[in-house]
Amino acid sequence: MARVVRFHRTGGPDVMQFDDLPVGDPQRGELRVRIEAIGLNRAEAMFRSGAYLETPRLPARLGYEASATVEAVGEGVDGFAPGDAVSVIPAFSMNDYGVYADTAIVPAYSVVQRPAGVSVIESAAVWMAYLTAWGALVDIGRLGRGDAVIIPAASSSVGLAAIQMANCVGAIPIATTRTRAKAAALQEAGAAHVVVTSERDLVAEVAHVTGGKGARLAFDPVGGPQVETLAQAMSRDGVIVVYGALATAPTPFPVIAAMQKALTLRGYTLFEFIRDRERLARASAFIEDGLAGGGLKPIVAKTFPLDAIVQAHVYMESNEQFGKIVVTVPH
């Protein structure tokens, strides 16, 4: 039997409960893994509350990424053996699989060998953040030396990953934050410039930093009316990549700025490339090289035990964290 976190109705953190379920053997193309640590993601809170990209089929599981050890290998799976230290990456629907559990069945395509020298807790904090950032900044955005990139909500795990990744390619990460509380920490985390949007004008600050040219890329998890401001801060042929919808207000299309500057505004999630083995291999190589060289290093805000999963979600929705929240799974 596996101890599994599920929710039988949508709502706040308190709808999550522990269910004892038979785990069984992995089927063709699957692995059974013993979960050691779980990386929490905003997408899971949105799925739990019924506000995600897909509607949960109740009762529903949760969880996209984890550090784990392989227990059993299904038919047709190569490259894994019992005892392997692995990472589960976000490559499936939570209507099909979920890693909020002490043991889980996962598809083999969502599993990679754990990078050498990366701890159990750190490896649970790597893949959603760095894969999301890689897809937008490197694969789509072709960010390069000297390019300015605006990173709103930069204290999130994905925002911090984007700061580090921008520095790895020689770009100029401009982090934004609503209040001064996290500004110093963002500078310490590698942001070339930090704009506190409640105090300073983002468009003027970006113009100053870029010598009037504007930013070539914006990597935005918020959406909503601020997209108009981002558009004003972009360079000609700039690209605004929107990868989240934290704003509750509608997201306008900034038509005038888009025409004046030939802007591209594009929606994005990592699921557009995660099942492409060639692109995933390139992403994994970039990330593993960055981890080995020290240019990429996940920042863990706080850890919780699995028994405190409700409290961990409450903390995630408080927006107090700086970096990734990780849940540890004792055995």
Side-chain angles (χ1 to χ4, degrees):
M1 300 293 284
R3 192 166 182 243
V4 179
V5 176
R6 296 198 299 178
F7 57 99
H8 294 247
R9 57 187 174 89
T10 58
D14 60 347
V15 302
M16 293 184 292
Q17 67 182 59
F18 288 98
D19 294 334
D20 291 325
L21 301 174
V23 64
D25 294 321
Q27 300 302 301
R28 184 174 184 84
E30 295 179 332
L31 300 170
R32 187 176 73 232
V33 296
R34 183 175 74 252
I35 305 296
E36 297 169 280
I38 303 160
L40 300 196
N41 296 288
R42 183 74 61 172
E44 292 145 13
M46 295 175 70
F47 187 64
R48 184 209 71 223
S49 63
Y52 192 45
L53 298 171
E54 57 181 324
T55 301
R57 295 197 300 264
L58 302 174
R61 296 174 182 253
L62 284 161
Y64 271 134
E65 63 179 329
S67 300
T69 299
V70 175
E71 286 190 339
V73 179
E75 184 181 350
V77 175
D78 297 319
F80 297 101
D84 283 356
V86 297
S87 297
V88 181
I89 67 175
F92 48 78
S93 167
M94 286 185 287
N95 277 320
D96 299 325
Y97 300 95
V99 296
Y100 282 20
D102 57 12
T103 307
I105 301 291
V106 293
Y109 60 72
S110 73
V111 179
V112 297
Q113 297 290 344
R114 191 178 305 165
V118 178
S119 71
V120 167
I121 288 176
E122 285 181 329
S123 66
V126 166
W127 292 103
M128 176 68 90
Y130 289 110
L131 286 172
T132 301
W134 180 88
L137 273 59
V138 178
D139 190 53
I140 294 169
R142 299 290 192 267
L143 196 67
R145 184 166 299 280
D147 290 337
V149 53
I150 303 171
I151 305 171
S155 60
S156 70
S157 58
V158 178
L160 294 170
I163 290 171
Q164 294 177 8
M165 202 163 282
N167 284 326
C168 282
V169 301
I172 303 167
I174 303 171
T176 82
T177 183
R178 287 179 297 175
T179 69
R180 184 153 294 280
K182 298 176 180 178
L186 285 168
Q187 288 182 318
E188 291 176 12
H193 304 276
V194 178
V195 180
V196 180
T197 55
S198 62
E199 300 176 4
R200 306 297 290 269
D201 180 87
L202 178 64
V203 177
E205 292 294 308
V206 171
H208 175 72
V209 167
T210 62
K213 183 179 179 181
R216 199 179 71 74
L217 188 67
F219 181 48
D220 179 35
V222 181
Q226 79 158 19
V227 167
E228 291 274 10
T229 303
L230 290 177
Q232 295 298 325
M234 301 304 291
S235 69
R236 181 165 184 82
D237 298 318
V239 179
I240 302 172
V241 178
V242 180
Y243 70 98
L246 296 177
T248 56
T251 300
F253 182 78
V255 62
I256 299 301
M259 291 190 295
Q260 290 172 334
K261 300 181 179 185
L263 299 181
T264 298
L265 174 61
R266 140 195 239 295
Y268 160 74
T269 75
L270 59 75
F271 294 105
E272 70 179 73
F273 79 86
I274 201 73
R275 299 288 292 275
D276 181 328
R277 302 310 294 179
E278 190 275 330
R279 291 168 81 188
L280 179 58
R282 287 193 285 118
S284 297
F286 185 104
I287 292 165
E288 290 177 14
D289 286 348
L291 292 169
L296 303 181
K297 185 173 178 57
I299 296 172
V300 176
K302 194 171 183 177
T303 62
F304 291 81
L306 183 60
D307 282 343
I309 188 65
V310 170
Q311 293 92 322
H313 267 236
V314 169
Y315 181 64
M316 178 165 57
E317 294 189 331
S318 75
N319 296 320
E320 295 175 12
Q321 72 272 21
F322 188 87
K324 191 79 163 182
I325 302 167
V326 175
V327 169
T328 58
V329 184
H331 287 274

